[in-house]
């Protein structure tokens, strides 16, 4: 899942228009993409909720949802429904929706029910196309929500209360080859667990790497970057460090070098990361996997911001071949520094970097 901007007090809107194309295998410099000649069209003036989280489904519909503890939204629940939640911090009785489904084909919005707070939750799509969302804030921090797509407007969120073993707020989810999701970390949680649960394996497992990368002042190990390596192990990056982790045995297979400069990259320093297209450099079974991490905040930005000295974001990207016997970081420079950027792998193998801000305010 993408990082959630709810704790950010500052945003530079003009950077929403900045599009960068990264050509990872042709050169080592990040460049601006040439103008495409397109234009923006306004399809809907108001979808009713803010898109804190958004996921394209296999039905070509988009499910959008937002936190529930920030007051009423701009769209009502259907049939005079109301959410009655005595644990909510803002509205105990709320007759507005905090999730909608957007139908691309008809350009229409349908309100959905979210019952507990999804603020800075995490999730991923399941093999059957369902979206599974876990954790969040307040009464939602141990809940699991599942949205099974449909084409007849009959589907809605299903919510399962307190099925997670630990509170998961700012955690990271990753789909596994066996169809389960691994849920890693979260605020104050240096552990991981799986969902759906298996009989006899209903446990939460300690992951010391998360406590080792934790800065207690700002918890710079939140929303860790996680990618499945070709050997079945997980590449996990938090703060400024990374490991290769065997989640089956609970063993750290490899410890990678600290990213040059030692500056934090994961939330709330809010860099972004992507697994680049797999490459077969030498033929046969010699497949290479490479991860790129871009942007973030300078070390000490939190202290500086408390003293009203707002330090600029990082303009560097680091690339590392996680399959190499002796992997090392290669650094590159973006045309613009940024935090809160989004990185999307395109079908042609390029990476699109969009959005973000020049400064980081905690």
């Amino acid at each position: 899942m993408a990082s959630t901007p709810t704790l950010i007090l500052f945003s530079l809107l003009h950077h929403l228009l900045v599009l960068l194309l990264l050509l990872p295998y042709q050169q080592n410099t990040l460049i601006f993409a040439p103008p495409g000649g397109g234009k923006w069209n306004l399809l809907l003036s108001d979808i009713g909720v803010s898109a804190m989280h958004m996921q394209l489904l296999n039905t070509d519909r988009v499910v959008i949802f937002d936190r529930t503890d920030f007051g009423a939204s701009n769209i009502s629940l259907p049939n005079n429904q109301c959410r009655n939640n005595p644990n909510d911090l803002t509205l105990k009785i709320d007759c507005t929706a905090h999730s909608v489904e957007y139908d691309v084909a008809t350009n229409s919005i349908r309100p959905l029910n979210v019952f507990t707070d999804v603020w800075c939750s995490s999730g991923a799509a399941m093999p059957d196309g369902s979206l599974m969302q876990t954790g969040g804030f307040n009464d939602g921090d141990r809940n699991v929500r599942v949205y099974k797509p449909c084409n007849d407007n009959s589907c809605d969120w299903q919510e399962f209360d307190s099925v997670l073993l630990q509170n998961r707020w700012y955690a990271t989810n990753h789909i596994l080859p066996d169809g389960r999701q691994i849920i890693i970390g979260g605020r104050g949680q240096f552990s991981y667990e799986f969902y759906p649960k298996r009989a006899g394996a209903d446990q939460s497992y300690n992951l010391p790497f998360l406590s080792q990368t934790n800065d207690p002042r700002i918890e710079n190990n939140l929303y860790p970057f996680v990618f499945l390596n070709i050997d079945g192990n997980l590449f996990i990056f938090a703060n400024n460090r990374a490991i290769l982790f065997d989640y089956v045995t609970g063993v750290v297979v490899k410890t990678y070098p600290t990213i040059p400069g030692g500056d934090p990259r994961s939330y709330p320093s809010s860099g972004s990361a992507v697994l680049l297209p797999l490459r077969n450099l030498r033929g046969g079974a010699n497949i290479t996997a490479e991860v790129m991490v871009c942007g973030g905040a300078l070390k000490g930005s939190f202290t500086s911001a408390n003293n009203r000295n707002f330090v600029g974001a990082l303009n560097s990207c680091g690339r590392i071949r996680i399959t190499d016997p002796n992997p090392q970081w290669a650094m590159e420079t973006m045309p613009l520094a940024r935090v809160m950027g989004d990185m999307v792998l395109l079908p042609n193998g390029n990476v699109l970097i969009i959005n973000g801000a020049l400064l980081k305010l905690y």
Side-chain angles (χ1 to χ4, degrees):
M1 295 311 282
S3 296
T4 308
T6 52
L7 297 184
I8 304 305
L9 304 177
F10 181 81
S11 170
L12 300 179
L13 295 180
H14 69 277
H15 285 294
L16 295 175
L17 305 178
V18 177
L19 302 182
L20 302 177
L21 280 180
L22 166 63
L23 308 180
Y25 303 123
Q26 299 177 14
Q27 60 190 58
N28 290 326
T29 304
L30 297 172
I31 63 172
F32 283 107
K39 65 176 183 179
W40 290 99
N41 292 317
L42 182 63
L43 300 178
L44 291 169
S45 60
D46 188 0
I47 64 172
V49 302
S50 297
M52 175 187 290
H53 302 273
M54 182 166 61
Q55 175 70 45
L56 176 66
L57 305 170
N58 59 5
T59 55
D60 281 341
R61 301 188 183 195
V62 180
V63 64
I64 300 166
F65 49 107
D66 191 18
R67 60 192 292 186
T68 62
D69 66 341
F70 212 60
S73 73
N74 286 337
I75 184 170
S76 297
L77 288 167
N79 304 319
N80 296 317
Q81 296 180 70
C82 293
R83 180 176 63 95
N84 189 345
N85 185 351
N87 296 316
D88 196 282
L89 300 180
T90 304
L91 292 175
K92 311 298 184 185
I93 299 178
D94 184 2
C95 302
T96 63
H98 296 273
S99 178
V100 297
E101 182 189 68
Y102 172 64
D103 188 332
V104 177
T106 63
N107 189 35
S108 60
I109 287 289
R110 181 171 67 92
L112 304 172
N113 275 291
V114 165
F115 297 99
T116 58
D117 202 348
V118 298
W119 177 19
C120 294
S121 57
S122 54
M126 299 296 285
D128 65 355
S130 299
L131 175 63
M132 191 181 88
Q133 199 73 13
T134 60
F137 181 61
N138 192 27
D139 57 349
D141 57 9
R142 291 181 56 200
N143 282 17
V144 171
R145 307 161 198 86
V146 177
Y147 187 80
K148 296 182 178 180
C150 63
N151 289 304
D152 60 1
N153 293 340
S154 64
C155 44
D156 208 333
W157 286 100
Q158 297 174 284
E159 188 147 2
F160 305 94
D161 292 333
S162 299
V163 292
L164 298 180
L165 300 176
Q166 304 290 342
N167 303 338
R168 301 293 175 184
W169 190 27
Y170 297 96
T172 294
N173 293 29
H174 200 293
I175 189 74
L176 299 174
D178 63 7
R180 293 180 300 164
Q181 289 188 31
I182 186 171
I183 309 164
I184 301 173
R187 192 167 188 183
Q189 301 296 342
F190 310 128
S191 62
Y192 62 96
E193 61 183 287
F194 302 92
Y195 196 87
K197 302 296 183 184
R198 285 180 172 175
D202 194 9
Q203 298 183 51
S204 176
Y205 303 89
N206 187 39
L207 183 55
F209 172 72
L210 294 177
S211 58
Q212 294 162 7
T213 53
N214 179 53
D215 183 338
R217 297 170 302 168
I218 48 178
E219 297 178 280
N220 254 323
N221 63 347
L222 303 179
Y223 279 143
F225 307 136
V226 181
F227 301 104
L228 185 67
N229 194 17
I230 60 173
D231 61 3
N233 297 315
L234 292 174
F235 173 87
I236 304 176
F237 183 105
N239 198 332
N240 55 16
R241 296 167 50 193
I243 58 172
L244 190 62
F245 184 64
D246 183 343
Y247 62 87
V248 177
T249 63
V251 173
V252 175
V253 177
K254 183 181 295 184
T255 298
Y256 295 95
T258 300
I259 195 167
D263 296 305
R265 306 282 180 155
S266 58
Y267 194 87
S269 293
S270 303
S272 52
V274 68
L275 175 67
L276 297 175
L278 301 180
R279 304 175 67 197
N280 193 333
L281 297 177
R282 296 179 294 275
N286 297 306
I287 299 175
T288 297
E290 189 172 13
V291 170
M292 170 166 276
V293 178
C294 290
L298 281 167
K299 191 185 303 181
S301 294
F302 175 74
T303 302
S304 296
N306 280 340
N307 294 323
R308 308 299 297 173
N309 177 24
F310 302 117
V311 181
L314 297 173
N315 67 350
S316 60
C317 292
R319 290 167 53 178
I320 189 167
R321 290 181 180 172
I322 65 175
T323 49
D324 279 3
N326 183 30
Q328 300 295 322
W329 289 96
M331 303 304 292
E332 304 177 24
T333 302
M334 294 187 290
L336 289 174
R338 65 182 65 218
V339 293
M340 303 300 297
D342 296 299
M343 299 174 70
V344 180
L345 190 63
L346 300 178
N348 63 359
N350 293 341
V351 176
L352 176 70
I353 308 178
I354 188 173
N355 297 339
L358 284 172
L359 297 175
K360 175 68 180 179
L361 302 187
Y362 293 94

